[in-house]
Amino acid sequence: MFGVGPARLSQTSLWGLLTSELMLYLLISLAIFMLSFRFLARLQARCQALVAKLNAQQGLSFDAGHLLGYPAPAFLVFDRQHRKLAVCSIVDEAWRIHDFSWLLGWRMTWREVESMEMNGGSRQVNASGMSVPTFERTVRAKDFAIELQTADPQRPLLSFPMSRRAAETWCARLNTLFNG
């Protein structure tokens, strides 16, 4: 009748509904995504090139597929066959090679945070039938990291922040590398 309402919306294309402001937001989001993706891809290529250069110069076989600390500029890479590890920095393309004995131990660390959260249930206040929501104290773990204890007196602890799943995976991987 007047060309408005739900019946009119079904006749309009998606492109007709997009405003210039919405298109600007989409373009900015796409640009940020593309720049982030390009940066991470370039960083990974530089890390793998550094490990390949290290392998060629030292005659070792570091595994570029498992970089402890990636995507940080400093990372560790391991050679299980020769029982060596390298501490690498992509910033200045420097590295230091150590025996496995340099790494004294490792552990997964996290921080516990307490908060009060509203529960789905409720409790009755009095005989009138009024009820109030119940609150309960919850404890959550966050800020997971792998903490390495080294034989270096200048930096005895190295910490690599990561997700819980990645930290658990790296603990298992380090157990396999050093004890397997």
Side-chain angles (χ1 to χ4, degrees):
M1 186 168 184
F2 293 102
V4 295
R8 177 71 180 137
L9 279 178
S10 64
Q11 297 171 0
T12 313
S13 71
L14 177 63
W15 293 109
L17 293 175
L18 293 176
T19 63
S20 61
E21 187 176 307
L22 183 59
M23 286 300 288
L24 181 64
Y25 289 142
L26 288 174
L27 287 174
I28 291 171
S29 299
L30 182 64
I32 291 171
F33 172 76
M34 293 299 289
L35 288 172
S36 301
F37 186 77
R38 184 174 177 196
F39 172 76
L40 287 174
R42 189 169 169 235
L43 182 66
Q44 183 179 20
R46 287 181 63 197
C47 289
Q48 289 179 345
L50 179 62
V51 172
K53 179 180 172 182
L54 178 61
N55 283 337
Q57 285 184 359
Q58 301 296 321
L60 299 171
S61 56
F62 289 108
D63 183 9
H66 297 109
L67 308 174
L68 177 59
Y70 174 80
F75 60 91
L76 268 68
V77 64
F78 302 92
D79 179 356
R80 186 175 184 180
Q81 180 183 359
H82 297 101
R83 300 195 55 79
K84 302 272 185 192
L85 65 95
V87 180
C88 302
S89 171
I90 197 66
V91 174
D92 54 359
E93 293 191 4
W95 67 78
R96 287 183 306 182
I97 298 175
H98 302 282
D99 289 328
F100 272 8
S101 60
W102 181 76
L103 188 61
L104 303 175
W106 59 88
R107 65 185 177 135
M108 185 170 73
T109 62
W110 63 89
R111 184 171 59 103
E112 290 184 348
V113 178
E114 279 189 40
S115 64
M116 295 295 288
E117 292 184 3
M118 188 167 60
N119 192 341
S122 61
R123 64 181 173 86
Q124 207 160 19
V125 176
N126 55 24
S128 67
M130 292 183 60
S131 62
V132 294
T134 58
F135 291 90
E136 63 182 23
R137 184 177 306 272
T138 59
V139 178
R140 294 181 190 220
K142 61 187 281 188
D143 299 335
F144 289 89
I146 292 285
E147 194 174 86
L148 304 177
Q149 191 177 28
T150 67
D152 185 359
Q154 303 300 322
R155 294 208 48 182
L157 289 176
L158 299 175
S159 183
F160 296 96
M162 57 186 67
S163 69
R164 180 181 191 157
R165 184 179 185 122
E168 290 170 349
T169 302
W170 267 107
C171 275
R173 187 173 288 138
L174 289 170
N175 280 329
T176 302
L177 283 170
F178 287 85
N179 301 326

